[in-house]
Amino acid sequence: MFLHGGGDRDTWKPEVPSARTYADRSGMTVFYPIHAPMTEASIAATADYLHLVYQQILSGYGPGRVAVVGGSYGGFLAVQLITWINRNQQCIAMPSLVVLNSPFAFPETQEEMHLLRQANGV
C-alpha cells in the first residue's frame, strides 16, 4: 500500500512513477489509494478511509504479506494507520513492513552526511 505525500490538491500524480518502481522492483502488487488532501478533509477522516482500505487489502493477501510505504504526508498517514490499528484494538494484523520516506531528511552537506552516518553507526 503506497501512501502518497503532499497535503494539497493533485499531489498524488507525481508519485505514481515511484509507486510503479516499488511494484517493479519488489514484484509485489502495489495499491495506490488516492486520499483527499489535508486541505480538503480532516486527517481523522483520511485515516479512517485508509484503515478501511488496509483492511480490504489485508483480507485479500493475509497477515505478513502487506507492506505500507508512505512519503512525507503519506508517511504521517502510515504512522496514523498503526495508531488506528492499536487504538481500535481489533484483531487486525500489523503491516509486515512500514517504509517512511521524507524529503526533509536528506543530508545537504558532507558534515550532515557524516553526522547521519555516525548516528546510524556506519
Side-chain angles (χ1 to χ4, degrees):
M1 185 166 136
F2 189 101
L3 304 177
H4 65 84
D8 206 356
R9 182 179 298 272
D10 294 336
T11 54
W12 61 271
K13 291 178 183 180
E15 292 191 39
V16 170
S18 294
R20 287 184 179 141
T21 299
Y22 272 97
D24 292 342
R25 294 186 75 190
S26 69
M28 298 173 77
T29 301
V30 173
F31 292 86
Y32 193 86
I34 298 172
H35 54 79
M38 67 171 53
T39 56
E40 294 181 14
S42 75
I43 293 169
T46 302
D48 284 341
Y49 162 71
L50 294 174
H51 187 248
L52 290 172
V53 171
Y54 175 75
Q55 288 180 65
Q56 290 177 348
I57 294 169
L58 193 62
S59 71
Y61 285 83
R65 298 185 44 114
V66 179
V68 178
V69 176
S72 193
Y73 181 54
F76 170 79
L77 293 170
V79 171
Q80 193 63 42
L81 174 64
I82 302 299
T83 302
W84 254 228
I85 292 169
N86 283 327
R87 183 196 72 189
N88 293 335
Q89 297 180 357
Q90 299 168 333
C91 294
I92 298 172
M94 288 287 180
S96 59
L97 178 68
V98 177
V99 178
L100 308 175
N101 298 309
S102 174
F104 301 107
F106 188 79
E108 294 183 355
T109 66
Q110 289 295 339
E111 181 183 2
E112 288 177 354
M113 180 60 84
H114 174 72
L115 291 170
L116 175 65
R117 287 186 175 139
Q118 199 174 26
N120 287 324
V122 179

